Amino acid sequence: MTTTSTTATSAGLLVLRLGVGATMAAHGTQKLFGWFDGGGLDGTERFFAASGYPSAKAFAVLAGVSETLGGIGLILGLITPLAAAAILGTMLNAIAVKWGGFFSPKGVEYETILAVAAASLALTGAGGFALDRFVPGLRDYKLGYGLAAIALAFVAAGITLLIRN
């Protein structure tokens, strides 16, 4: 029986980080700046207001920043547990708000797969091809970091959903 090499695992994690990170960073910049045919901050604020959020502009900024910085963090493999938590928390919130069943056109499978990918990266860490290798404490990744990040994401999403009208 052979085991996967550290290099192969790191390469797989890099591909996952780049895909999820780029998707989320682009999605966040749609919210913040209107890039990639996004609604920009005004459009995102209107969406959050219609979805029952008090201080809709603040939540629009928070979601956009979480997605953008979380995505960039995953791309770089920098402070991966927090980057993954930012994405996971945002996606948990999106799933709860959007819920209309699982499958398209009104389903949440897109948000779910991003949430699962973020949780997976929180649990595994960024791998060897990441800036976390140079961050003391993250150099030797521990499962507890990922579990704490996932707990943080659930708490943040839960609080956000509780204050929503």
Side-chain angles (χ1 to χ4, degrees):
M1 182 167 125
T2 60
T3 59
T4 306
S5 75
T6 303
T7 302
T9 300
S10 291
L13 290 171
L14 174 63
V15 170
L16 182 60
R17 286 188 0 250
L18 292 175
V20 174
T23 298
M24 292 309 302
H27 198 66
T29 60
Q30 284 181 306
K31 284 179 172 65
L32 293 174
F33 311 117
W35 297 354
F36 310 109
D37 296 321
L41 204 48
D42 291 337
T44 305
E45 178 184 6
R46 284 191 298 276
F47 170 80
F48 274 76
S51 297
Y53 289 87
S55 305
K57 186 165 205 134
F59 278 103
V61 170
L62 181 62
V65 168
S66 294
E67 291 175 0
T68 302
L69 294 182
I72 291 169
L74 288 186
I75 289 168
L76 298 173
L78 182 61
I79 313 174
T80 302
L82 290 180
I87 291 170
L88 177 57
T90 304
M91 290 300 99
L92 290 171
N93 201 310
I95 290 166
V97 170
K98 184 180 175 186
W99 186 261
F102 186 74
F103 296 105
S104 287
K106 295 182 181 181
V108 294
E109 70 273 12
Y110 170 73
E111 293 84 356
T112 301
I113 196 66
L114 289 170
V116 168
S120 297
L121 287 167
L123 292 172
T124 62
F129 305 131
L131 293 179
D132 280 350
R133 290 182 43 226
F134 305 105
V135 177
L138 292 178
R139 193 171 300 134
D140 297 319
Y141 202 79
K142 295 174 179 48
L143 178 61
Y145 301 161
L147 294 173
I150 290 170
L152 174 64
F154 271 90
V155 168
I159 290 169
T160 302
L161 290 168
L162 284 173
I163 62 175
R164 187 173 149 246
N165 298 330

